[in-house]
Amino acid sequence: MRPTVILLSFDSQETLGATLSSARLVSDEIFVVDSYSSDGTVEIARSLGAVVVQHPFEHYGAQRNWAIDNLPITRLWQLHLDADELMDSGLVAAIQALPDEPAHSGYFLRRYVRFLGRVLRHGGLSPTWHLRLFRTGVGRCEDRKYDQHFLLRSGSYGQLKGAMLDDHQMPLTEWTARHNRWSDSEVAELDAGGISGRLRPNARGNPAERKRFLREKYNRMPLFVRSFGLFAYRYFFRLGFLDGTEGFIFWVLQTFWAHFLIDAKIWEKRRAARLAAGTAVKPAS
């Protein structure tokens, strides 16, 4: 199998080179969909043989679906990566070993997180499974502003050996700034309600469906309390503390701080709505 590789990028010069080097081991048709980077991202991509296409960024789901609909893809299979997702030798070998007509229409890939230079291996978020390799014409990304997953329109799915490494090399200032922006997207997503073409929560389904099932359960828990509970679950019960100082920083920021921030913004939005409603019905003096 030689799938078309599609990467999304924005100011990704620190990680793109390694990602493209591993991608070239499985394909010679690589597209980088860039959102008008201001650093050396475009030059690095072109120097490593990728075709660069510029497109304004709305959110990840929209960007991925634009790429599926508009790129001149010639291969029967597609592999979708982010600019900081590096494939290890095991995953490269697993993709290379697939025939042109494998048993399934899509494959889940295992992904680990490297944070502050350390690969996290505990806590329940590293590794996770993501559907990223699928037959052209059957894969689509959810139209969500945050926490998007790919879906198969038809066919079955499998899992491959090896893993991707989500290599977080940005400084904490940028990391927290991005999560602040993503918290706005998550609040907007929670207000959007059910929309067709979304992942179906299923406690007995594939890895993405099980993850969405747990998220739906989490969303029904009381504001603020749930962020404390999630941190305790990941850091203590799922042994996140075994990942050392780097793990402690990650779990405090990613599990507690980011989710507490989402709850605070939900509370702020509801409070503003109550105040506006009270003003609207207040009788004139």
Side-chain angles (χ1 to χ4, degrees):
M1 180 186 291
R2 300 286 285 177
T4 295
V5 178
I6 301 171
L7 293 93
L8 305 186
S9 69
F10 176 72
D11 287 351
S12 307
Q13 66 179 13
E14 300 298 329
T15 58
L16 183 61
T19 299
L20 284 174
S21 294
S22 67
R24 291 179 64 188
L25 298 176
V26 300
S27 180
D28 57 1
E29 182 170 278
I30 302 175
F31 294 99
V32 172
V33 181
D34 185 69
S35 305
Y36 300 96
S37 293
S38 59
D39 62 0
T41 295
V42 172
E43 291 75 13
I44 292 172
R46 288 173 175 160
S47 71
L48 292 174
V51 176
V52 178
V53 180
Q54 297 284 5
H55 187 258
F57 186 85
E58 180 184 352
H59 58 75
Y60 284 101
Q63 194 81 330
R64 293 192 188 281
N65 288 331
W66 182 91
I68 291 173
D69 294 337
N70 292 278
L71 293 177
I73 298 167
T74 66
R75 304 297 171 82
L76 296 177
W77 282 76
Q78 301 174 21
L79 172 63
H80 289 256
L81 301 171
D82 286 338
D84 58 357
E85 291 177 336
L86 170 67
M87 294 186 292
D88 69 10
S89 59
L91 179 55
V92 169
I95 294 174
Q96 290 174 336
L98 288 173
D100 289 336
E101 294 294 335
H104 301 287
S105 295
Y107 289 89
F108 279 87
L109 312 181
R110 183 187 287 109
R111 186 178 75 175
Y112 286 90
V113 172
R114 180 155 62 193
F115 183 75
L116 297 179
R118 179 168 185 155
V119 178
L120 307 182
R121 300 187 180 278
H122 306 90
L125 274 183
S126 183
T128 51
W129 289 89
H130 299 264
L131 180 67
R132 296 294 189 84
L133 179 67
F134 50 80
R135 191 184 305 275
T136 296
V138 304
R140 195 83 182 162
C141 191
E142 291 182 285
D143 185 22
R144 285 176 56 94
K145 298 179 183 296
Y146 183 70
D147 190 34
Q148 306 89 346
H149 290 271
F150 282 100
L151 307 170
L152 291 182
R153 291 172 171 170
S154 62
S156 61
Y157 63 87
Q159 295 180 342
L160 292 184
K161 296 181 179 179
M164 300 182 293
L165 183 63
D166 189 6
D167 191 10
H168 293 224
Q169 289 198 15
M170 69 191 75
L172 288 177
T173 298
E174 175 62 20
W175 194 91
T176 52
R178 291 191 184 190
H179 279 73
N180 182 36
R181 295 195 297 270
W182 291 339
S183 68
D184 290 334
S185 297
E186 176 68 4
V187 172
E189 192 61 45
L190 291 172
D191 287 341
I195 300 176
S196 61
R198 298 293 182 89
L199 190 70
R200 180 174 59 90
N202 185 353
R204 298 183 178 181
N206 64 47
E209 290 171 340
R210 294 196 298 270
K211 180 182 177 183
R212 186 59 52 79
F213 173 82
L214 293 174
R215 177 174 283 273
E216 292 293 323
K217 291 290 187 181
Y218 174 86
N219 289 339
R220 297 191 185 102
M221 296 175 65
L223 294 182
F224 304 117
V225 174
R226 59 191 184 181
S227 58
F228 285 93
L230 184 61
F231 172 75
Y233 170 74
R234 295 207 178 281
Y235 191 68
F236 296 107
F237 184 76
R238 296 300 302 270
L239 307 181
F241 63 87
L242 294 178
D243 284 319
T245 301
E246 297 88 351
F248 177 67
I249 295 171
F250 180 83
W251 295 117
V252 168
L253 292 179
Q254 199 281 338
T255 301
F256 174 68
W257 172 79
H259 286 81
F260 189 93
L261 182 62
I262 290 170
D263 285 359
K265 290 183 177 182
I266 292 172
W267 179 89
E268 179 186 44
K269 191 171 185 177
R270 291 176 180 175
R271 177 176 179 272
R274 291 194 300 268
L275 292 175
T279 302
V281 301
K282 185 179 180 179
S285 55

